[in-house]
Amino acid sequence: MCAPSGAPEVCRRLGELEARGGRVRRVDSVGLMTEIGVYGTFAELLQFPAYFGCNWDAMVDCLDDLCGAVTGGVGVAVVIEGADRLLEAEHFPLFVSVLCQGADRANSAVDLDGFPLDRLAIEQYFVFEFGEFDAERITRRLEQPDLTVAKGHGCVSAVLDPAVWHQGNV
């Protein structure tokens, strides 16, 4: 989700997650300006295992496998502060897609083949907070074949397009 910094709806949802035992992690976008920065920052912030491969596919896998210490056994939200500086970064659309992939897998109780997992679904959310929120500009930047992007309620949301990602699982 992309939202203005301090948006009441985002604050409410984060508070509800924490009230249920989930965790909220905040990170400044300065360390996310390069792909290598994204890998290192997320590995540290979310305690990825030492064998994390420092690539987008490995990041999706690690987001899917977050442990209870990171999620409180309930869920985790990562709030990326100062997202304005990321908007024009070359990797921004791919970064959002990877986060959507990780969240989609973590939030699901079935694997990619549609079989039940041996774990409960874990709530996982990513919030890009913007100082200067321009819904049209953000939407244009995120539009890509694998995402469904929607504007509404003072935010822009992106989720995986099920026609692309869940072809055999619908």
Side-chain angles (χ1 to χ4, degrees):
M1 171 187 297
C2 298
S5 183
E9 178 66 14
V10 172
C11 293
R12 183 187 65 73
R13 287 184 181 184
L14 296 175
E16 288 174 354
L17 177 65
E18 287 181 310
R20 290 190 311 275
R23 308 279 197 261
V24 174
R25 301 286 184 247
R26 293 186 170 275
V27 63
D28 191 297
S29 64
V30 169
L32 306 174
M33 296 306 296
T34 66
E35 290 181 21
I36 297 300
V38 169
Y39 306 144
T41 299
F42 269 71
E44 181 179 331
L45 183 73
L46 299 176
Q47 302 172 13
F48 287 176
Y51 58 81
F52 169 54
C54 291
N55 62 63
W56 295 118
D57 290 334
M59 190 163 159
V60 171
D61 291 339
C62 287
L63 290 171
D64 184 28
D65 292 336
L66 292 179
C67 67
V70 173
T71 66
V74 174
V76 64
V78 175
V79 179
I80 300 166
E81 300 170 336
D84 306 69
R85 62 177 70 91
L86 278 174
L87 194 56
E88 294 308 319
E90 184 177 338
H91 65 279
F92 181 66
L94 177 58
F95 180 30
V96 172
S97 177
V98 165
L99 295 178
C100 288
Q101 291 171 53
D104 185 73
R105 286 174 48 182
N107 292 337
S108 179
V110 297
D111 67 17
L112 294 174
D113 295 319
F115 296 107
L117 293 169
D118 59 354
R119 63 151 176 83
L120 296 174
I122 298 289
E123 291 180 67
Q124 197 173 97
Y125 305 99
F126 301 96
V127 179
F128 289 84
E129 284 190 336
F130 286 81
E132 300 211 11
F133 184 76
D134 181 342
E136 293 297 328
R137 184 172 173 222
I138 294 166
T139 300
R140 282 191 309 273
R141 189 70 175 110
L142 289 178
E143 288 178 337
Q144 53 190 342
D146 68 336
L147 295 179
T148 299
V149 181
K151 293 180 294 190
H153 306 291
C155 70
V156 174
S157 62
V159 296
L160 295 182
D161 181 342
V164 174
W165 287 98
H166 298 284
Q167 296 163 351
N169 300 333
V170 186

